[in-house]
Amino acid sequence: MVTYALKRIVSIFPILFGVSFLVFLIVYLIPGDPAAKILGQAATAENIRSLRESLGLDKPFIVQYGIWLGNVLVGDLGTSIAMRIPVADVLFPKLENTLILTAGSLFICLIGGVLIGLLAGLRQYSWFDRISMFITQFGANIPVFWLAIVLMWIFSLNLGWLPSSGMYDLRNDGSLMSLVEHLVLPSIATASVSLAVIARLTRSSIIEVMHADYTKTFRAYGMPEWKIVSKHAFRNILSPLLNMTGLQVGYLLGGALFVEVVFSWPGIGSQLYTSIVAQDIPMVQAGVLFVAISFVLVNLITDLVVAALNPRLRN
């Protein structure tokens, strides 16, 4: 296991290098001149040229990338062009907020998806199976930002049950209950697609396991159905479930970025939207890099956990 873990860890470095290059290239290709954007319409050509030189924007692409990558490797993410403060001071608290939203979504996705999938799979072709699979099929095709707007319209603007924006109610000093209330709707919107995927995977996996020969053998020996499910069947569907969960965490991170904008959640998504509008290049580069690295690390952790549970996969 140690050898497999070391190989897997080493293998992510070329991926991270490729990710950093793509992130820098995509941001570099965004149309518009950041220097002109910062100085405004009254700026002269001389002022724009001077600012471009001071920001290093006049250098060739590969030189800019080399300087940026070298700074990132020593922990220097640059200075925000719009706010004139270090990018790290802005992004790290935002990353924490995005991870809170992702964790809330993952909780809903796993609990809801596994429970629905198990009940549907164990009652194949029942009314619950048909209705739940229809709803999950519908949920898997709904755009996240559209669902976020609908949830806000129903539960916040019309019913008034839950807050429509922000992360805390400033009147009660940021209590845990306030955080949970603000977290519910964004988490449901973010988790909708992943919950559907997990539910359908769990259903198909449990159906396959419950029709396997060894399960029939357990039944023939008189083992209770609940014991077959809890002790043997669930263990066998755990590996594909973990693999899919790792992939869905990346999707949840991506979905959270859109939902943050709709619900004014103070995370990296909201910050990226503001930074893209302001053409704050260092902030955009660092924000996208954070999300990409998070995705790579989550998949690494998932692979290690799955390999630990199933030694055959190490080969």
Side-chain angles (χ1 to χ4, degrees), residues 46-120:
E46 179 61 26
N47 290 337
I48 294 174
R49 186 187 62 78
S50 176
L51 183 58
R52 284 180 58 81
E53 288 179 358
S54 67
L55 296 175
L57 299 175
D58 59 326
K59 293 182 171 57
F61 166 77
I62 198 67
V63 175
Q64 289 187 45
Y65 172 68
I67 294 172
W68 175 76
L69 183 61
N71 291 334
V72 169
L73 290 176
V74 297
D76 180 8
L77 298 176
T79 302
S80 166
I81 293 175
M83 292 184 273
R84 301 292 183 184
I85 56 177
V87 169
D89 291 351
V90 178
L91 281 188
F92 278 116
K94 302 284 186 183
L95 176 65
E96 183 181 335
N97 296 340
T98 295
L99 291 179
I100 290 173
L101 176 56
T102 306
S105 306
L106 184 63
F107 178 79
I108 293 173
C109 165
L110 280 179
I111 299 296
V114 171
L115 192 60
I116 292 171
L118 279 178
L119 292 175

Side-chain angles (χ1 to χ4, degrees), residues 30-309:
I30 294 177
D33 188 342
K37 180 79 174 179
I38 294 169
L39 295 175
Q41 296 181 351
T44 63
E46 179 61 26
N47 290 337
I48 294 174
R49 186 187 62 78
S50 176
L51 183 58
R52 284 180 58 81
E53 288 179 358
S54 67
L55 296 175
L57 299 175
D58 59 326
K59 293 182 171 57
F61 166 77
I62 198 67
V63 175
Q64 289 187 45
Y65 172 68
I67 294 172
W68 175 76
L69 183 61
N71 291 334
V72 169
L73 290 176
V74 297
D76 180 8
L77 298 176
T79 302
S80 166
I81 293 175
M83 292 184 273
R84 301 292 183 184
I85 56 177
V87 169
D89 291 351
V90 178
L91 281 188
F92 278 116
K94 302 284 186 183
L95 176 65
E96 183 181 335
N97 296 340
T98 295
L99 291 179
I100 290 173
L101 176 56
T102 306
S105 306
L106 184 63
F107 178 79
I108 293 173
C109 165
L110 280 179
I111 299 296
V114 171
L115 192 60
I116 292 171
L118 279 178
L119 292 175
L122 293 174
R123 293 171 173 77
Q124 191 179 10
Y125 303 133
S126 65
W127 64 268
F128 179 84
D129 181 26
R130 296 177 191 278
I131 293 176
S132 62
M133 288 303 104
F134 173 78
I135 294 174
T136 53
Q137 180 68 34
F138 184 67
N141 291 286
I142 291 180
V144 170
F145 66 92
W146 182 84
L147 180 61
I149 293 172
V150 171
L151 289 174
M152 180 193 290
W153 182 73
I154 296 174
F155 295 101
S156 297
L157 302 182
N158 284 281
L159 298 176
W161 290 354
L162 293 165
S164 61
S165 64
M167 190 172 172
Y168 291 103
D169 186 344
L170 298 178
R171 292 169 298 183
N172 58 14
D173 200 23
S175 66
L176 178 61
M177 183 54 68
S178 175
L179 172 62
V180 172
E181 288 176 351
H182 285 78
L183 190 59
V184 172
L185 293 183
S187 296
I188 292 174
T190 307
S192 60
V193 176
S194 297
L195 186 149
V197 172
I198 294 290
R200 297 181 76 84
L201 174 72
T202 305
R203 176 187 179 274
S204 60
S205 299
I206 198 70
I207 289 174
E208 183 181 346
V209 169
M210 295 306 285
H211 287 84
D213 290 339
Y214 67 89
T215 308
K216 295 175 181 173
T217 305
F218 288 140
R219 286 199 188 97
Y221 278 102
M223 183 179 287
E225 200 71 11
W226 66 267
K227 198 170 184 178
I228 294 175
V229 174
S230 61
K231 195 172 181 179
H232 300 283
F234 191 73
R235 183 184 298 175
N236 281 310
I237 70 170
L238 206 52
S239 289
L241 201 56
L242 281 173
N243 266 325
M244 184 55 72
T245 301
L247 294 174
Q248 292 307 309
V249 170
Y251 186 87
L252 290 174
L253 272 171
L257 302 186
F258 292 103
V259 173
E260 285 179 5
V261 176
V262 175
F263 285 98
S264 300
W265 186 269
I268 283 188
S270 298
Q271 185 59 52
L272 273 176
Y273 175 76
T274 306
S275 301
I276 290 172
V277 172
Q279 290 196 338
D280 192 345
I281 289 178
M283 192 70 76
V284 176
Q285 287 169 334
V288 177
L289 188 65
F290 269 31
V291 175
I293 289 176
S294 300
F295 184 79
V296 173
L297 292 180
V298 166
N299 277 289
L300 170 66
I301 293 170
T302 305
D303 283 352
L304 294 180
V305 172
V306 171
L309 292 173

